[in-house]
Amino acid sequence: MLKTFSIGGIHPAENKLSAESAIQALPIPQMVSIPISQHIGAPATAIVKKGDEVKVGQLIAKSSGFVSANIHSSVSGAVFKLDDIMDASGFRRTSIIIKVDGDEWLEHIDRSEELVKDIKASKEEIIKQVGDAGIVGLGGATFPAHVKLSVPPGKTAEVLIINAVECEPYLTSDHRIMLEKGDEVLVGTQILMKALEVNKAIIGIENNKPDAIAHLTKLAANYNGIEICPLKTQYPQGGEKQLISATIKREVPSGALPIEVGAVVQNVGTAYAVYEAVQKNKPLFERVATVTGKSLKNPSNWMFRIGTPVKDIIEAAGGMPEDTGKIVGGGPMMGKALSSIDVPLTKGSSGLLLLPKEETARKATKACIRCGKCVSVCPMGLEPYLLMVCADKKDYERLEKDAVMDCIECGSCSFTCPAHRPLLDYIRLGKGKVAQIMRARK
């Protein structure tokens, strides 16, 4: 019997329309807008000004704290201006706008396709190189990777878990990375193991990707300490706590981090980026994203430069379908609708989903029928119907008591609700307010 997590979960239609589409390089745009905040934590500080010439891979914004990340130029050209522009969140954020001229890379970046398996860097050097390269979690959370590798005093990492689940419907970028860059992912995994001083790594892959499981299992025979773990297809298995439960059968306590149970989780795309940073001296200035949708002419996977406008990647996939009702940044369960196609793609852009109008219309909300479906599917063991009521009534004390901060915002409750109640919308609002109260208390 295949492993999976212990509480709740759902199985929405997978719709992996772009699974057979090989990764293609998106043409470089004429202008890029690179936000200085593309990660959880403090925004980076711009170190370039209008008129400065930059090359591909050059540092243009420096991390401004431990929980922050460097930002590098994804193109060569001249800084056109620093300005506040709208990003995928809908808020205006400071961005470095660069007018592209050619494609000149920094000389120390190794652009060859040759696999470099010998890991010469020490633990400390790896953590520094990962931080210098501006690598963040590429599964969507964008938490700075070097912070996860810096295990707090008194804690010990026992196992590295690579999240190759890609449980969001439609998205296939991680799937393609495993098929096309398998060896690089495994070397990246060994680099992360060395940084954490662990001798065991588990790569969790759902069984709806049998080709990736077979391919990595075959390759992993040549790498010590790496186990490929097929998992039952169950959403939201890509959540850190759910993946830990599925792979090593340990439960992360409420309010705690994975390191409390000896685990560190990194995304498979992050492992590939770590390989490129440590073995190829290449900072994180490009990544793979899926562009997909039932009406889209060419659902596909693209390697894009950070700061490329969303409209460019849509055009490359065949253009915007006439029946498009909503463009979602990410997948249909946890992604957020974009307000404009002029916003830039960033480190956290794992995919774009173009939904037809008939699938985007919200159904009329009805009274809760007390069926308990939202409780049974919640992977965190919460009571979503109650949390929604508390958020609506502004009972923040009760929300905190009932562990609203444990909600991973997977959307399983809203998905399964027969009364079409906007459970997650209210829980998000309540969660934001409780977080504000907790910060003020500290």
Side-chain angles (χ1 to χ4, degrees), residues 340-371:
S340 165
I341 57 170
D342 294 317
V343 301
L345 294 160
T346 63
K347 293 179 184 181
S349 302
S350 57
L352 278 177
L353 171 59
L354 283 70
L355 289 169
K357 282 177 186 149
E358 65 267 20
E359 290 188 20
T360 60
R362 288 210 176 199
K363 293 179 180 170
T365 301
K366 298 172 187 170
C368 173
I369 60 170
R370 302 290 190 269
C371 65

Side-chain angles (χ1 to χ4, degrees), residues 162-204:
I162 298 295
N163 185 349
V165 171
E166 200 161 45
C167 59
E168 271 275 6
Y170 289 96
L171 303 187
T172 59
S173 54
D174 287 351
H175 186 182
R176 293 311 309 180
I177 286 172
M178 288 187 278
L179 292 177
E180 298 178 41
K181 303 290 182 182
D183 273 310
E184 289 86 345
V185 165
L186 294 173
V187 175
T189 301
Q190 288 199 317
I191 293 168
L192 291 166
M193 289 166 70
K194 189 172 182 179
L196 293 165
E197 297 180 316
V198 299
N199 52 23
K200 183 180 182 183
I202 299 169
I203 302 180

Side-chain angles (χ1 to χ4, degrees), residues 294 296 314 350 413 432:
K294 291 176 184 173
L296 193 67
I314 293 173
S350 57
C413 53

Side-chain angles (χ1 to χ4, degrees), residues 175-243:
H175 186 182
R176 293 311 309 180
I177 286 172
M178 288 187 278
L179 292 177
E180 298 178 41
K181 303 290 182 182
D183 273 310
E184 289 86 345
V185 165
L186 294 173
V187 175
T189 301
Q190 288 199 317
I191 293 168
L192 291 166
M193 289 166 70
K194 189 172 182 179
L196 293 165
E197 297 180 316
V198 299
N199 52 23
K200 183 180 182 183
I202 299 169
I203 302 180
I205 311 173
E206 286 191 329
N207 69 331
N208 60 356
K209 294 177 269 293
D211 49 356
I213 291 170
H215 182 57
L216 286 193
T217 300
K218 184 179 176 184
L219 294 178
N222 302 314
Y223 296 84
N224 291 331
I226 300 178
E227 174 195 337
I228 309 302
C229 179
L231 300 167
K232 178 184 174 183
T233 303
Q234 181 101 319
Y235 179 86
Q237 197 140 237
E240 275 193 335
K241 294 180 180 181
Q242 285 65 43
L243 186 56

Side-chain angles (χ1 to χ4, degrees), residues 396-424:
Y396 303 124
E397 193 177 325
R398 179 71 186 269
L399 275 174
E400 186 178 350
K401 179 174 167 284
D402 286 350
V404 72
M405 297 309 293
D406 283 353
C407 171
I408 60 170
E409 302 181 26
C410 66
S412 297
C413 53
S414 294
F415 177 83
T416 198
C417 179
H420 313 300
R421 295 178 69 73
L423 294 156
L424 181 56

